[in-house]
Amino acid sequence: MAEGARTPSVEEPEDELLPPLSVALGALEGRLALVTGAASGIGRATAELVVGAGGRLLGVDRDREGLARLRDELGAAVM
């Protein structure tokens, strides 16, 4: 690393052209998202972001119990 250079923090975006995450997520209001693997991991995190951003969710997963928990916690449609 060059002298005087600093490592960017997580809060500091590398690209100033990208909109803040909250603005990008606001575009989901009133929209429907299909999320596969919605019962756990990245799929669950995505499902939570969609619902948190005002979107409607259709969650799909082989884990029926996990989907039931997701439905109970988020009030989302799941299969």
Side-chain angles (χ1 to χ4, degrees):
M1 196 177 273
E3 186 177 327
R6 61 187 175 89
T7 306
S9 68
V10 174
E11 295 79 29
E12 183 180 322
E14 287 280 330
D15 187 349
E16 296 296 325
L17 299 176
L18 293 176
L21 185 57
S22 60
V23 171
L25 291 177
L28 298 178
E29 187 120 2
R31 302 193 94 179
L32 175 65
L34 169 66
V35 178
T36 59
S40 64
I42 294 171
R44 170 124 184 159
T46 302
E48 291 171 353
L49 282 172
V50 167
V51 172
R56 293 181 300 141
L57 172 71
L58 176 58
V60 181
D61 200 297
R62 294 184 295 179
D63 177 2
R64 291 182 183 261
E65 292 81 19
L67 285 176
R69 285 191 300 276
L70 178 72
R71 182 187 60 237
D72 292 343
E73 293 171 18
L74 299 182
V78 295
M79 293 180 74

